[in-house]
Amino acid sequence: MSETNLFESKLELVRSHIRSFPDFPKKGIVFRDVCPILKNPAALAALTDLFEEHVRTSYQQVDLIVGLDARGFLFGPLLAQRLGLGFVLIRKKGKLPGSTTSVTFDLEYGQAEVEIQDDVVDPGQKVLIIDDLLATGGTLCAAWELLKQQQAEVLGCLVVIELLDLQGKNKVKPLPVFSLTHY
């Protein structure tokens, strides 16, 4: 099988394990659920393979993978382990011990706050941010801001799903965003 066919085969396996739930969490929204990927070892391996291939071909040096609360915690450690890298958490406010830095950001329905421990990223470290979904871009933008405050060099973002109509990619420009699937 050619590399292109293998890539497409893996991508189709990932896509086939994303479920859609209309009108959740409220009417008019279609929720894209990645949980079936986690239940299927082949789909999870394919997703991890696709992210790993992208990182290895697109970035000469990466020091850390940074995962966003909560689904970035599911995919990020697997990718970091494959790449031989460390993994760092960005969590909702009040969930991390020790000294932290936080950022407040706007959501479609209010505000949220995320934080990072102050001693987990060294100045100048090259990092990639990973999450399951890019919608409006608020969470990725907040993570980018936190990492800039840590003096990290954010190389880009990785997401399983990008909701194109919400144009979240515009919020994190000029950071490159690699999305496996688009809706």
Side-chain angles (χ1 to χ4, degrees):
M1 185 179 291
S2 74
E3 279 189 44
T4 302
N5 289 343
L6 185 56
F7 177 89
E8 287 302 322
S9 175
K10 289 177 182 181
L11 189 54
E12 184 49 42
L13 182 59
V14 170
R15 282 187 192 125
S16 72
H17 284 82
I18 296 172
R19 291 189 300 183
S20 298
F21 288 93
D23 299 322
F24 183 83
K26 63 182 186 177
K27 191 159 183 63
I29 293 180
V30 178
F31 185 88
R32 307 294 177 176
D33 182 20
V34 297
C35 291
I37 295 169
L38 299 168
K39 185 178 173 184
N40 183 291
L44 185 56
L47 180 142
T48 309
D49 289 348
L50 292 167
F51 279 144
E52 179 186 8
E53 290 164 21
H54 173 74
V55 172
R56 288 193 188 281
T57 59
S58 300
Y59 300 99
Q60 290 183 346
Q61 182 189 353
V62 178
D63 299 311
L64 293 170
I65 301 295
V66 178
L68 302 186
D69 200 341
R71 289 182 185 89
F73 298 173
L74 303 173
F75 305 117
L78 296 173
L79 177 61
Q81 189 275 330
R82 285 265 192 100
L83 296 167
L85 302 174
F87 177 76
V88 170
L89 308 171
I90 290 183
R91 296 216 56 194
K92 293 176 180 118
K93 179 75 173 164
K95 302 290 184 181
L96 292 171
S99 178
T100 62
T101 300
S102 65
V103 169
T104 301
F105 63 101
D106 292 325
L107 298 168
E108 311 87 281
Y109 47 84
Q111 286 193 323
E113 195 169 0
V114 292
E115 66 185 355
I116 190 170
Q117 290 172 310
D118 289 333
D119 61 354
V120 295
V121 179
D122 295 330
Q125 282 193 300
K126 296 174 184 333
V127 303
L128 288 169
I129 302 169
I130 190 168
D131 203 4
D132 68 323
L133 178 78
L134 172 57
T136 63
T139 309
L140 281 179
C141 193
W144 185 20
E145 180 58 37
L146 277 176
L147 290 162
K148 284 192 289 189
Q149 289 180 27
Q150 301 291 312
Q151 300 175 24
E153 182 182 342
V154 180
L155 303 174
C157 305
L158 311 168
V159 295
V160 179
I161 300 167
E162 181 179 350
L163 303 179
L164 296 173
D165 289 349
L166 298 177
Q167 301 178 356
K169 200 181 267 191
N170 292 337
K171 198 161 199 167
V172 293
K173 277 186 178 177
L175 282 182
V177 176
F178 176 72
S179 312
L180 288 178
T181 61
H182 304 92
Y183 292 92

